[in-house]
Amino acid sequence: MSEIEWRRCWKPDLLSRPWIKMTLADGCTYLVKYLFRDRCYEVLLTDLTSSWLETISDCEIINRSKTLNPSVDAPIGRLLSQIEAGLTDEDVKQRSVASEDDDEVAVLTVESQLAGFPFIWKFRATKTDQSIMVNHMTIPLLSMVSELTRRQNELYKLLTDKDREINDYRLQGVKPTRKNVKTCEFDCTVFDSKMLASKEFEDEVAALGANTFQTEHGRKLYSQIMTKYSYLTSNNTTGTATGGVGGEEDGSLFGEITDDIPETSGGPSWGNTRLPASLVNKPSPNTSPAKSPQKSAATIDHEQSQSTAAELLRRQELDRKLILAEAKKEEKAKKKRKLKL
Protein backbone atom coordinates (compact mmCIF):
# COMPACT_ATOMS: atom_id res chain seq x y z
CA MET A 1 0.00 0.00 0.00
CA SER A 2 1.35 3.44 -0.94
CA GLU A 3 1.77 6.08 1.74
CA ILE A 4 -0.96 8.26 0.23
CA GLU A 5 -3.46 5.39 0.41
CA TRP A 6 -2.31 4.55 3.93
CA ARG A 7 -2.80 8.15 5.10
CA ARG A 8 -6.37 8.11 3.78
CA CYS A 9 -7.17 5.05 5.91
CA TRP A 10 -5.00 5.72 8.93
CA LYS A 11 -6.61 6.87 12.16
CA PRO A 12 -4.29 8.86 14.45
CA ASP A 13 -3.40 7.37 17.81
CA LEU A 14 -1.83 8.72 20.98
CA LEU A 15 1.65 7.93 19.64
CA SER A 16 1.41 10.63 16.95
CA ARG A 17 0.20 13.35 19.31
CA PRO A 18 2.89 15.87 20.40
CA TRP A 19 3.86 16.57 23.98
CA ILE A 20 2.76 19.85 25.59
CA LYS A 21 4.49 21.59 28.47
CA MET A 22 2.14 22.07 31.42
CA THR A 23 3.03 24.25 34.40
CA LEU A 24 1.13 23.63 37.65
CA ALA A 25 0.03 26.17 40.23
CA ASP A 26 3.01 25.30 42.45
CA GLY A 27 5.47 25.92 39.61
CA CYS A 28 6.21 22.27 38.86
CA THR A 29 6.43 21.32 35.20
CA TYR A 30 5.04 18.22 33.50
CA LEU A 31 4.76 17.08 29.91
CA VAL A 32 1.35 15.86 28.80
CA LYS A 33 -0.07 14.42 25.59
CA TYR A 34 -3.68 13.51 24.99
CA LEU A 35 -6.15 12.22 22.44
CA PHE A 36 -9.84 13.17 22.71
CA ARG A 37 -12.52 11.43 20.68
CA ASP A 38 -16.31 11.69 20.52
CA ARG A 39 -16.90 9.57 23.62
CA CYS A 40 -13.50 8.83 25.19
CA TYR A 41 -10.01 10.17 25.81
CA GLU A 42 -6.43 9.08 26.53
CA VAL A 43 -4.01 11.17 28.59
CA LEU A 44 -0.31 10.46 29.16
CA LEU A 45 1.54 12.44 31.83
CA THR A 46 5.24 12.46 32.71
CA ASP A 47 7.71 14.30 34.93
CA LEU A 48 10.60 12.78 32.89
CA THR A 49 11.17 10.26 35.69
CA SER A 50 7.88 8.38 35.70
CA SER A 51 4.84 8.32 33.44
CA TRP A 52 1.14 7.76 34.03
CA LEU A 53 -1.62 6.88 31.56
CA GLU A 54 -5.42 7.12 31.74
CA THR A 55 -7.87 5.73 29.17
CA ILE A 56 -11.53 6.35 29.96
CA SER A 57 -14.87 5.89 28.15
CA ASP A 58 -18.15 7.82 28.14
CA CYS A 59 -19.91 6.01 31.02
CA GLU A 60 -16.97 6.52 33.36
CA ILE A 61 -16.69 10.18 32.32
CA ILE A 62 -20.36 10.88 33.08
CA ASN A 63 -20.24 9.07 36.44
CA ARG A 64 -17.07 10.88 37.51
CA SER A 65 -18.54 14.22 36.45
CA LYS A 66 -21.66 13.62 38.56
CA THR A 67 -19.46 12.84 41.56
CA LEU A 68 -17.16 15.84 41.16
CA ASN A 69 -19.74 18.33 39.81
CA PRO A 70 -23.24 17.44 41.09
CA SER A 71 -24.72 20.73 39.86
CA VAL A 72 -23.47 20.28 36.28
CA ASP A 73 -25.62 18.39 33.77
CA ALA A 74 -24.05 18.40 30.29
CA PRO A 75 -23.84 15.98 27.34
CA ILE A 76 -20.72 13.88 26.87
CA GLY A 77 -19.46 16.04 23.99
CA ARG A 78 -19.66 19.21 26.08
CA LEU A 79 -17.91 17.51 29.00
CA LEU A 80 -15.05 16.31 26.80
CA SER A 81 -14.58 19.81 25.34
CA GLN A 82 -14.39 21.28 28.83
CA ILE A 83 -11.97 18.61 30.04
CA GLU A 84 -9.68 19.11 27.03
CA ALA A 85 -9.76 22.89 27.51
CA GLY A 86 -8.58 22.37 31.07
CA LEU A 87 -5.36 20.84 29.73
CA THR A 88 -4.63 23.44 27.07
CA ASP A 89 -6.13 26.83 27.99
CA GLU A 90 -3.60 29.25 29.49
CA ASP A 91 -6.38 30.91 31.50
CA VAL A 92 -6.75 27.78 33.64
CA LYS A 93 -4.27 28.31 36.47
CA GLN A 94 -5.56 25.83 39.01
CA ARG A 95 -3.80 22.60 38.09
CA SER A 96 -2.20 20.29 40.61
CA VAL A 97 -0.84 16.74 40.73
CA ALA A 98 -1.01 14.41 43.72
CA SER A 99 0.13 10.79 44.00
CA GLU A 100 -1.70 7.82 45.49
CA ASP A 101 -0.82 4.18 46.23
CA ASP A 102 2.93 4.77 46.55
CA ASP A 103 3.14 6.79 43.35
CA GLU A 104 1.28 4.16 41.32
CA VAL A 105 -1.57 6.60 40.59
CA ALA A 106 -1.14 10.27 39.66
CA VAL A 107 -4.19 12.47 40.17
CA LEU A 108 -4.16 15.60 38.00
CA THR A 109 -6.79 18.05 39.26
CA VAL A 110 -8.00 20.86 37.00
CA GLU A 111 -10.35 23.62 38.19
CA SER A 112 -12.12 25.74 35.57
CA GLN A 113 -15.47 27.38 34.79
CA LEU A 114 -18.32 25.83 32.80
CA ALA A 115 -21.20 28.20 31.93
CA GLY A 116 -20.36 30.29 35.00
CA PHE A 117 -20.26 27.31 37.38
CA PRO A 118 -17.10 25.87 38.96
CA PHE A 119 -16.01 22.71 37.13
CA ILE A 120 -13.52 20.29 38.65
CA TRP A 121 -11.97 17.37 36.84
CA LYS A 122 -9.56 14.78 38.16
CA PHE A 123 -7.49 12.66 35.81
CA ARG A 124 -6.62 9.40 37.53
CA ALA A 125 -3.63 8.05 35.59
CA THR A 126 -1.94 4.73 36.37
CA LYS A 127 1.82 4.35 36.32
CA THR A 128 3.14 2.79 33.10
CA ASP A 129 6.13 0.59 32.34
CA GLN A 130 9.35 1.79 30.74
CA SER A 131 8.35 0.76 27.20
CA ILE A 132 5.73 3.54 27.06
CA MET A 133 8.36 6.25 27.49
CA VAL A 134 10.68 4.53 25.04
CA ASN A 135 7.98 4.63 22.35
CA HIS A 136 6.59 8.07 23.20
CA MET A 137 9.76 9.92 24.20
CA THR A 138 13.12 8.23 23.54
CA ILE A 139 12.58 7.05 19.96
CA PRO A 140 10.80 10.25 18.82
CA LEU A 141 13.43 12.57 20.34
CA LEU A 142 16.33 10.62 18.83
CA SER A 143 14.55 10.73 15.47
CA MET A 144 13.98 14.48 15.82
CA VAL A 145 17.67 15.09 16.59
CA SER A 146 18.70 13.00 13.59
CA GLU A 147 16.25 14.74 11.26
CA LEU A 148 17.19 18.22 12.47
CA THR A 149 20.87 17.39 11.97
CA ARG A 150 20.13 16.26 8.42
CA ARG A 151 18.20 19.47 7.74
CA GLN A 152 21.03 21.55 9.20
CA ASN A 153 23.52 19.91 6.84
CA GLU A 154 21.22 20.58 3.91
CA LEU A 155 20.94 24.24 4.94
CA TYR A 156 24.72 24.48 5.20
CA LYS A 157 25.00 23.23 1.62
CA LEU A 158 22.30 25.64 0.48
CA LEU A 159 24.07 28.61 2.10
CA THR A 160 27.33 27.60 0.44
CA ASP A 161 25.58 27.47 -2.94
CA LYS A 162 23.99 30.87 -2.27
CA ASP A 163 27.41 32.38 -1.51
CA ARG A 164 28.72 30.93 -4.75
CA GLU A 165 25.82 32.52 -6.63
CA ILE A 166 26.33 35.90 -4.93
CA ASN A 167 30.05 35.85 -5.73
CA ASP A 168 29.19 35.22 -9.35
CA TYR A 169 26.97 38.31 -9.35
CA ARG A 170 29.75 40.36 -7.73
CA LEU A 171 32.21 39.27 -10.41
CA GLN A 172 29.76 40.64 -12.96
CA GLY A 173 29.81 44.02 -11.20
CA VAL A 174 26.44 43.71 -9.43
CA LYS A 175 26.32 45.55 -6.09
CA PRO A 176 23.60 45.59 -3.38
CA THR A 177 21.38 48.67 -3.36
CA ARG A 178 21.76 48.99 0.43
CA LYS A 179 24.81 48.37 2.56
CA ASN A 180 22.85 46.80 5.41
CA VAL A 181 21.82 43.83 3.23
CA LYS A 182 25.40 42.85 2.42
CA THR A 183 26.46 39.58 4.05
CA CYS A 184 29.69 37.71 4.66
CA GLU A 185 30.37 34.26 3.28
CA PHE A 186 28.93 31.52 5.45
CA ASP A 187 31.40 29.40 7.43
CA CYS A 188 29.84 26.47 9.29
CA THR A 189 32.78 26.23 11.74
CA VAL A 190 32.47 29.90 12.71
CA PHE A 191 28.68 29.56 12.94
CA ASP A 192 28.87 26.49 15.23
CA SER A 193 31.43 28.23 17.49
CA LYS A 194 29.21 31.30 17.70
CA MET A 195 26.20 29.21 18.69
CA LEU A 196 28.19 27.40 21.40
CA ALA A 197 29.32 30.72 22.87
CA SER A 198 25.85 32.29 22.85
CA LYS A 199 23.70 32.86 25.93
CA GLU A 200 20.82 31.04 24.22
CA PHE A 201 22.87 27.82 24.12
CA GLU A 202 23.40 28.02 27.88
CA ASP A 203 19.68 28.65 28.42
CA GLU A 204 18.70 25.63 26.32
CA VAL A 205 21.07 23.35 28.21
CA ALA A 206 19.78 24.65 31.55
CA ALA A 207 16.17 24.00 30.43
CA LEU A 208 17.02 20.28 29.93
CA GLY A 209 14.91 20.01 26.80
CA ALA A 210 11.77 21.56 28.29
CA ASN A 211 11.52 23.96 25.34
CA THR A 212 11.47 21.21 22.71
CA PHE A 213 7.68 21.30 22.42
CA GLN A 214 7.20 24.99 23.19
CA THR A 215 7.09 25.97 19.52
CA GLU A 216 4.59 24.92 16.88
CA HIS A 217 7.51 23.77 14.71
CA GLY A 218 8.71 21.33 17.38
CA ARG A 219 5.25 19.88 17.95
CA LYS A 220 4.59 19.47 14.23
CA LEU A 221 7.95 17.79 13.64
CA TYR A 222 7.17 15.30 16.42
CA SER A 223 3.77 14.47 14.87
CA GLN A 224 5.25 14.19 11.36
CA ILE A 225 8.00 11.83 12.52
CA MET A 226 5.64 9.59 14.48
CA THR A 227 3.13 9.49 11.63
CA LYS A 228 5.89 8.37 9.28
CA TYR A 229 7.03 5.88 11.93
CA SER A 230 3.52 4.42 12.13
CA TYR A 231 3.45 4.06 8.35
CA LEU A 232 6.83 2.32 8.21
CA THR A 233 5.87 0.02 11.08
CA SER A 234 2.57 -0.97 9.51
CA ASN A 235 4.24 -1.52 6.13
CA ASN A 236 6.94 -3.75 7.60
CA THR A 237 4.61 -5.86 9.75
CA THR A 238 1.24 -6.33 8.10
CA GLY A 239 1.49 -4.47 4.81
CA THR A 240 -1.87 -2.84 5.55
CA ALA A 241 -2.93 0.37 7.22
CA THR A 242 -3.21 0.03 10.96
CA GLY A 243 -3.80 2.52 13.72
CA GLY A 244 -4.52 2.90 17.39
CA VAL A 245 -7.48 4.80 18.75
CA GLY A 246 -9.86 5.59 15.90
CA GLY A 247 -10.59 8.96 14.35
CA GLU A 248 -12.91 10.20 11.61
CA GLU A 249 -11.33 13.34 10.31
CA ASP A 250 -8.05 12.37 8.62
CA GLY A 251 -9.44 10.19 5.85
CA SER A 252 -11.45 13.04 4.33
CA LEU A 253 -8.62 15.52 4.88
CA PHE A 254 -6.06 13.58 2.88
CA GLY A 255 -8.66 12.47 0.38
CA GLU A 256 -9.50 16.07 -0.58
CA ILE A 257 -5.87 16.98 -1.16
CA THR A 258 -4.63 13.87 -2.96
CA ASP A 259 -7.54 12.96 -5.23
CA ASP A 260 -5.74 14.28 -8.32
CA ILE A 261 -2.38 12.71 -7.51
CA PRO A 262 -1.46 9.64 -9.59
CA GLU A 263 -0.88 6.49 -7.56
CA THR A 264 2.64 5.16 -7.25
CA SER A 265 4.01 2.00 -5.80
CA GLY A 266 4.51 2.00 -2.02
CA GLY A 267 7.83 2.49 -0.29
CA PRO A 268 9.26 3.47 3.08
CA SER A 269 9.81 7.11 2.08
CA TRP A 270 9.29 9.63 -0.72
CA GLY A 271 12.91 9.22 -1.77
CA ASN A 272 12.42 5.51 -2.54
CA THR A 273 9.16 5.94 -4.41
CA ARG A 274 9.28 4.56 -7.93
CA LEU A 275 8.70 7.18 -10.62
CA PRO A 276 5.67 6.97 -12.94
CA ALA A 277 6.31 5.49 -16.36
CA SER A 278 5.69 8.88 -17.98
CA LEU A 279 8.74 10.32 -16.20
CA VAL A 280 11.13 7.57 -17.23
CA ASN A 281 12.86 8.29 -20.54
CA LYS A 282 12.10 5.17 -22.58
CA PRO A 283 11.71 4.90 -26.35
CA SER A 284 8.19 4.36 -27.63
CA PRO A 285 7.50 0.80 -28.92
CA ASN A 286 6.12 2.28 -32.18
CA THR A 287 9.28 4.31 -32.89
CA SER A 288 11.90 2.84 -35.13
CA PRO A 289 15.44 2.93 -33.71
CA ALA A 290 16.72 4.13 -37.08
CA LYS A 291 14.52 7.26 -36.92
CA SER A 292 15.34 8.30 -33.37
CA PRO A 293 18.85 9.59 -32.58
CA GLN A 294 20.83 7.52 -30.09
CA LYS A 295 21.35 9.23 -26.72
CA SER A 296 24.51 8.90 -24.73
CA ALA A 297 24.49 7.30 -21.29
CA ALA A 298 25.41 10.65 -19.71
CA THR A 299 22.43 12.37 -21.39
CA ILE A 300 20.04 9.66 -20.20
CA ASP A 301 21.39 9.84 -16.65
CA HIS A 302 21.04 13.63 -16.66
CA GLU A 303 17.42 13.51 -17.86
CA GLN A 304 16.50 10.83 -15.35
CA SER A 305 18.13 12.88 -12.61
CA GLN A 306 16.05 15.91 -13.62
CA SER A 307 12.88 13.78 -13.60
CA THR A 308 13.69 12.43 -10.17
CA ALA A 309 14.29 15.94 -8.82
CA ALA A 310 10.98 17.15 -10.28
CA GLU A 311 9.12 14.26 -8.70
CA LEU A 312 10.70 14.88 -5.29
CA LEU A 313 9.79 18.57 -5.48
CA ARG A 314 6.19 17.61 -6.24
CA ARG A 315 6.20 15.26 -3.24
CA GLN A 316 7.58 17.98 -0.97
CA GLU A 317 4.87 20.38 -2.16
CA LEU A 318 2.27 17.73 -1.34
CA ASP A 319 3.68 17.35 2.18
CA ARG A 320 3.50 21.11 2.64
CA LYS A 321 -0.15 21.20 1.55
CA LEU A 322 -1.01 18.34 3.90
CA ILE A 323 0.58 20.15 6.85
CA LEU A 324 -1.22 23.43 6.03
CA ALA A 325 -4.56 21.67 5.66
CA GLU A 326 -4.12 19.92 8.99
CA ALA A 327 -3.19 23.19 10.71
CA LYS A 328 -6.28 24.92 9.28
CA LYS A 329 -8.49 22.08 10.45
CA GLU A 330 -7.07 22.29 13.99
CA GLU A 331 -7.62 26.06 14.00
CA LYS A 332 -11.27 25.63 12.95
CA ALA A 333 -11.81 23.05 15.67
CA LYS A 334 -10.40 25.43 18.30
CA LYS A 335 -12.70 28.23 17.10
CA LYS A 336 -15.72 25.92 17.31
CA ARG A 337 -14.83 24.95 20.87
CA LYS A 338 -14.51 28.62 21.87
CA LEU A 339 -17.89 29.43 20.28
CA LYS A 340 -19.52 26.60 22.25
CA LEU A 341 -18.12 28.06 25.47
Side-chain angles (χ1 to χ4, degrees):
M1 178 181 290
S2 68
E3 184 168 359
I4 294 175
E5 293 173 336
W6 179 85
R7 283 178 179 268
R8 288 173 176 170
C9 303
W10 179 65
K11 298 176 180 180
D13 54 12
L14 186 63
L15 191 66
S16 63
R17 299 292 296 176
W19 291 96
I20 295 175
K21 182 180 178 181
M22 183 177 64
T23 303
L24 305 182
D26 58 2
C28 295
T29 300
Y30 284 77
L31 290 177
V32 61
K33 59 159 48 184
Y34 54 85
L35 183 67
F36 280 78
R37 293 302 184 193
D38 292 338
R39 307 188 70 84
C40 62
Y41 72 72
E42 289 180 275
V43 171
L44 181 60
L45 182 72
T46 181
D47 59 359
L48 300 182
T49 301
S50 303
S51 61
W52 300 268
L53 173 68
E54 180 182 39
T55 303
I56 188 171
S57 60
D58 51 355
C59 293
E60 296 173 284
I61 293 172
I62 293 174
N63 291 336
R64 187 181 299 180
S65 178
K66 289 180 179 179
T67 302
L68 297 174
N69 308 280
S71 60
V72 174
D73 185 13
I76 183 65
R78 184 68 184 86
L79 289 175
L80 286 171
S81 297
Q82 182 67 22
I83 295 169
E84 182 178 3
L87 289 172
T88 57
D89 284 1
E90 296 181 358
D91 296 336
V92 178
K93 301 298 183 183
Q94 296 300 318
R95 299 188 184 98
S96 60
V97 173
S99 60
E100 296 180 359
D101 300 332
D102 295 331
D103 210 29
E104 289 298 316
V105 176
V107 181
L108 170 60
T109 303
V110 180
E111 299 180 18
S112 59
Q113 294 282 325
L114 175 59
F117 292 93
F119 184 84
I120 300 175
W121 188 257
K122 292 187 177 182
F123 298 90
R124 297 186 58 84
T126 305
K127 196 171 186 177
T128 65
D129 56 29
Q130 188 177 3
S131 63
I132 293 292
M133 290 306 292
V134 170
N135 292 330
H136 287 264
M137 185 69 74
T138 307
I139 291 176
L141 289 181
L142 288 175
S143 299
M144 289 176 69
V145 170
S146 178
E147 172 60 13
L148 289 173
T149 302
R150 185 189 69 85
R151 294 185 183 188
Q152 175 181 278
N153 292 333
E154 290 297 320
L155 287 173
Y156 283 1
K157 293 177 184 177
L158 179 61
L159 287 171
T160 302
D161 291 340
K162 288 290 184 183
D163 283 338
R164 191 181 298 116
E165 180 183 356
I166 292 172
N167 285 333
D168 184 62
Y169 291 147
R170 287 173 179 169
L171 290 174
Q172 298 176 39
V174 178
K175 296 182 179 180
T177 57
R178 291 171 294 172
K179 290 184 178 180
N180 62 332
V181 300
K182 187 177 180 180
T183 58
C184 300
E185 286 195 15
F186 176 75
D187 187 318
C188 62
T189 303
V190 174
F191 175 79
D192 290 342
S193 299
K194 184 178 179 180
M195 291 296 101
L196 289 174
S198 65
K199 179 64 168 60
E200 289 76 8
F201 175 72
E202 181 178 329
D203 294 340
E204 288 296 330
V205 174
L208 297 177
N211 298 327
T212 303
F213 305 104
Q214 282 290 85
T215 64
E216 187 69 17
H217 180 267
R219 292 192 292 267
K220 281 186 177 180
L221 179 59
Y222 180 98
S223 296
Q224 291 161 3
I225 285 177
M226 296 317 294
T227 300
K228 177 73 77 172
Y229 177 79
S230 296
Y231 165 69
L232 296 176
T233 304
S234 66
N235 238 23
N236 292 335
T237 54
T238 63
T240 58
T242 58
V245 178
E248 294 78 18
E249 67 272 19
D250 279 3
S252 59
L253 169 65
F254 289 105
E256 292 173 359
I257 297 177
T258 58
D259 281 343
D260 297 329
I261 299 174
E263 296 183 1
T264 59
S265 61
S269 66
W270 291 127
N272 295 330
T273 302
R274 191 169 58 196
L275 293 176
S278 60
L279 294 179
V280 180
N281 197 351
K282 295 182 179 180
S284 172
N286 297 328
T287 304
S288 172
K291 294 181 180 180
S292 60
Q294 189 70 22
K295 294 183 178 181
S296 66
T299 302
I300 293 175
D301 290 342
H302 177 68
E303 292 178 352
Q304 288 182 348
S305 175
Q306 287 182 328
S307 299
T308 303
E311 177 67 8
L312 290 176
L313 286 174
R314 189 178 71 83
R315 296 291 188 180
Q316 291 172 359
E317 180 64 19
L318 169 62
D319 281 343
R320 188 184 67 81
K321 290 181 179 179
L322 293 178
I323 294 170
L324 290 176
E326 186 176 358
K328 289 180 180 179
K329 190 153 190 176
E330 290 180 357
E331 187 65 25
K332 288 181 180 178
K334 288 181 181 179
K335 290 181 179 179
K336 287 182 179 178
R337 286 196 294 269
K338 289 183 179 179
L339 289 174
K340 288 181 180 180
L341 289 174

